[in-house]
Amino acid sequence: MDKVSAWYGEKLAIQEIVLDFEEHAVTGIIGPSGCGKSTLIRCLNRMHETIPKARVEGQVLLDGQDIYGLPAVSVRRRIGMVFQKPNPFPTMSIYENVAAGLRLNGERDRKKLDQAVLDSLKQAALWEEVKDSLDKSGASLSGGQQQRLCIARALAVRPEVLLMDEPCSALDPIATAKIEDLIFDLKKDYTLVIVTHNMQQAARVAETTAFMYLGKVVEVNNTRELFERPRESLTESYITGRFG
Amino acid sequence: MHALRILRGGTRARLSATPGDLVFEGLSTLVALSVVGLLVVITVILYLVAQESIRVNGLRFLTDTIWDSVSQRFGAAPFIYGMLVTSGIALLLGVPVSLGIAIFLSELAPPWLRIPLTFIVELLAAVPSVVYGLWGIFVLGPAMRIYIEPGVQSVLGFLPLFQGRPIGSDVFTAGVILAIMIIPTISAVSREALLAVPDSQREAALSLGATRWETTRLAVLRYARAGIFGASILGLGRAVGETMAVTMTIGNRAAFFGSLFEPGQTIASQIAGRWLDASTPLELGALVELGLILMLVSLIINAFARLLVGRFLRVGEGAE
């Protein structure tokens, strides 16, 4: 992304961000609350602009094309997103939840839907737990399962990039561990960007980590470098727990 | 607030034991309870007056289609039928319009339009029903007779429901008036239901690449369907009991399974139209029995609707 700035009304949330996201790798974004990391990730699939009075400037290039020059709807089909709180559709079954995105694309072929649901649930490491209860409500699952259901729902449309906005912040440690394993597996097929306030999580799953503070990227580096030999004193004080 | 509540729960009597407080507490409790008493008293008295008719007519009252003061034979079927049909038309026409209004107000309208429009829709509910009735007689009735009913007839005239010469003062017109009258109720409650849908649901649909309409359909309407259903039932509750506007537009003739373009009668309009002429205890009893039926139906519908809407709004807030 190149010189991306985003506003909420008059309030500038992120300022002239320049960041590269490596293909088939995980990029972590860390920083204290309110530093703009969620805003940043929401600019990557044009979700930021769905908030009234919000606006974005700059370019976000996906395979060399500026996504702000494409229809927002098609951008979001190529760049999926998982949110902080699991948000399955409670009135739909597990199957329908996963199939929802494909149905939006006009897929009617039952066989193709079945296959996509199977693949996505397997990829999201949920298949074994739900294979006998596909017609149960998505809301009947535990929090961790719901989040993996949301991941499966996002994967079902075969996006190129998967954005995760603090995907584990509402989950317990065991569910968190499962999602982290999953992230590790997913990077074979997808480019992932994960926002987290949990530095250990970034250290565990991300190849590259960016540290944000007050709407700017302070430092980007190979994750290990960033945590072991931070170049900026601000980064160092954050990762050593002196603020944030 | 909580500290206060704990005090009141535990030691209320001793803490507020001054004479003035005791009097005030007693009085307000009495007034509150008197509402319950009133409902009971009304029901009992209605039952006593209707007793004669209930004894003579029995269950046949519900199925008999004749209401004849000369032979003292009274049946409620045409009025029950009229009530069901007019309410049915009202829902059929009113629910889609109300949903459209609710969707516009909660999902689409720019903020500067949202507040005044919400206010105006709710104002519609404040128009006295006799005014709707007048408008029905002088504006809607003629419009129905000259334009709308012939128009409907030219398309659907092959159905028995739409046959006969349109007169404008008929079941269809009453149904349309009712539709207009229940729109404020249904759209206001539906709007609340839509607003109770958490934004995370909308974001879930948007992030899958849904358009605005797809988001509304996939995430919002589905999520809020129990609330919307409850809102519609609440509108139905208003439609079945509405008296003045219906009496003024329906044509006032007992009819059963006729064309919608013929006059009819609902329970409410029959009571309103007949009570002055009820000459015998039996006919009066039969009218009051109609009233009892109407009250029972309204109570059930309203209780059901409130339960649905209340539960939905609570769950909606709890989920976010």
Side-chain angles (χ1 to χ4, degrees), chain A residues 42 45 47 50-51 73 76-77 79-81 83 85 87-92 96-97 100-101 104 153-154 157, chain B residues 111 199-212 214-215 217-225 319-320:
Chain A
R42 291 170 65 92
N45 68 340
M47 284 298 287
T50 63
I51 295 166
V73 167
R76 297 190 196 118
R77 284 178 191 182
I79 308 180
M81 188 163 196
F83 298 86
K85 269 192 201 163
N87 55 355
F89 299 123
T91 57
M92 293 186 197
E96 286 178 303
N97 259 286
L104 279 179
R153 181 176 65 188
V157 290
Chain B
D199 274 337
S200 65
Q201 287 288 312
R202 296 182 179 87
E203 291 193 329
L206 282 173
S207 73
L208 288 174
T211 62
R212 223 168 184 186
E214 287 165 342
T215 302
R217 184 171 53 87
L218 194 73
V220 181
L221 290 181
R222 261 189 96 135
Y223 189 95
R225 60 189 176 184
E320 185 50 301

Side-chain angles (χ1 to χ4, degrees), chain B residues 143-220:
Chain B
M144 294 292 286
R145 184 181 70 235
I146 300 166
Y147 304 108
I148 299 170
E149 291 180 350
V152 172
Q153 208 164 38
S154 68
V155 183
L156 296 169
F158 60 92
L159 293 172
L161 276 182
F162 300 107
Q163 280 167 5
R165 204 167 61 82
I167 49 176
S169 187
D170 53 35
V171 175
F172 196 42
T173 305
V176 173
I177 280 277
L178 282 178
I180 297 168
M181 293 178 75
I182 65 176
I183 283 173
T185 309
I186 303 181
S187 55
V189 180
S190 298
R191 177 180 149 270
E192 265 178 62
L194 299 187
L195 287 177
V197 176
D199 274 337
S200 65
Q201 287 288 312
R202 296 182 179 87
E203 291 193 329
L206 282 173
S207 73
L208 288 174
T211 62
R212 223 168 184 186
W213 158 240
E214 287 165 342
T215 302
T216 304
R217 184 171 53 87
L218 194 73
V220 181

Side-chain angles (χ1 to χ4, degrees), chain A:
Chain A
M1 60 197 300
D2 196 13
K3 286 194 175 174
V4 172
S5 304
W7 288 262
Y8 293 97
E10 293 300 305
K11 192 177 158 289
L12 181 66
I14 57 171
Q15 199 181 345
E16 305 210 334
I17 304 274
V18 181
L19 259 184
D20 287 322
F21 302 97
E22 207 182 320
E23 208 177 335
H24 296 304
V26 181
T27 305
I29 300 172
I30 60 169
S33 302
C35 69
K37 53 193 192 302
S38 281
T39 308
L40 183 144
I41 201 172
R42 291 170 65 92
C43 288
L44 296 180
N45 68 340
R46 303 191 55 175
M47 284 298 287
H48 177 68
E49 68 203 50
T50 63
I51 295 166
K53 291 186 182 166
R55 111 193 124 82
V56 183
E57 270 175 23
Q59 281 191 320
V60 178
L61 301 175
L62 174 67
D63 303 333
Q65 254 185 320
D66 184 8
I67 63 167
Y68 284 88
L70 299 169
V73 167
S74 65
V75 167
R76 297 190 196 118
R77 284 178 191 182
R78 292 169 66 189
I79 308 180
M81 188 163 196
V82 175
F83 298 86
Q84 203 165 344
K85 269 192 201 163
N87 55 355
F89 299 123
T91 57
M92 293 186 197
S93 67
I94 293 171
Y95 181 97
E96 286 178 303
N97 259 286
V98 181
L102 289 168
R103 290 228 166 97
L104 279 179
N105 286 332
E107 184 60 66
R108 292 278 175 274
D109 185 346
R110 189 75 196 186
K111 273 191 194 141
K112 280 188 187 159
L113 285 174
D114 286 349
Q115 190 60 41
V117 169
L118 174 83
D119 291 346
S120 309
L121 284 171
K122 275 189 173 161
Q123 268 190 314
L126 190 60
W127 175 251
E128 287 303 320
E129 290 157 64
V130 302
K131 63 181 174 190
D132 299 321
S133 53
L134 288 177
D135 50 355
K136 274 199 190 154
S137 160
S140 67
L141 299 173
S142 73
Q145 290 174 323
Q146 285 189 19
Q147 193 63 299
R148 278 179 283 147
L149 177 61
C150 294
I151 294 175
R153 181 176 65 188
L155 294 178
V157 290
R158 302 282 143 221
E160 294 157 49
V161 182
L162 188 61
L163 309 174
M164 299 179 138
D165 187 1
E166 303 201 18
C168 301
S169 64
L171 305 180
D172 63 60
I174 296 170
T176 301
K178 280 192 178 161
I179 303 253
E180 286 179 6
D181 287 346
L182 177 58
I183 292 171
F184 202 78
D185 292 337
L186 287 177
K187 70 180 173 199
K188 288 194 294 268
D189 302 309
Y190 302 93
T191 301
L192 286 101
V193 181
I194 175 168
V195 161
T196 174
H197 60 233
N198 178 334
M199 282 178 276
Q200 288 76 28
Q201 184 168 59
R204 282 191 299 264
V205 301
E207 275 83 28
T208 308
T209 298
F211 168 60
M212 283 185 74
Y213 186 62
L214 297 178
K216 288 183 178 168
V217 171
V218 176
E219 184 171 349
V220 199
N221 208 336
N222 172 287
T223 300
R224 176 176 286 202
E225 289 284 311
L226 185 109
F227 280 102
E228 285 174 4
R229 281 180 296 280
R231 280 174 302 209
E232 302 286 331
S233 58
L234 207 53
T235 315
E236 191 185 350
S237 28
Y238 181 69
I239 60 178
T240 52
R242 256 172 277 164
F243 76 95

Side-chain angles (χ1 to χ4, degrees), chain B residues 46 59 147 203 254 294:
Chain B
L46 285 182
L59 275 177
Y147 304 108
E203 291 193 329
L294 182 57

Side-chain angles (χ1 to χ4, degrees), chain B residues 52-137:
Chain B
E52 175 77 1
S53 159
I54 295 174
R55 193 177 53 76
V56 173
N57 294 318
L59 275 177
R60 196 181 50 87
F61 188 66
L62 298 175
T63 52
D64 193 356
T65 59
I66 308 292
W67 187 285
D68 182 13
S69 330
V70 180
S71 63
Q72 289 289 297
R73 182 176 162 191
F74 303 107
F79 317 122
I80 296 173
Y81 169 77
M83 173 182 84
L84 293 178
V85 172
T86 49
S87 307
I89 297 171
L91 282 185
L92 226 55
L93 300 175
V95 169
V97 176
S98 306
L99 253 188
I101 294 173
I103 291 172
F104 181 73
L105 289 177
S106 86
E107 308 294 314
L108 304 173
W112 61 267
L113 194 60
R114 194 167 294 189
I115 293 160
L117 210 58
T118 305
F119 181 67
I120 289 171
V121 171
E122 281 169 16
L123 268 190
L124 271 179
V127 176
S129 64
V130 66
V131 176
Y132 277 110
L134 273 180
W135 182 76
I137 290 174

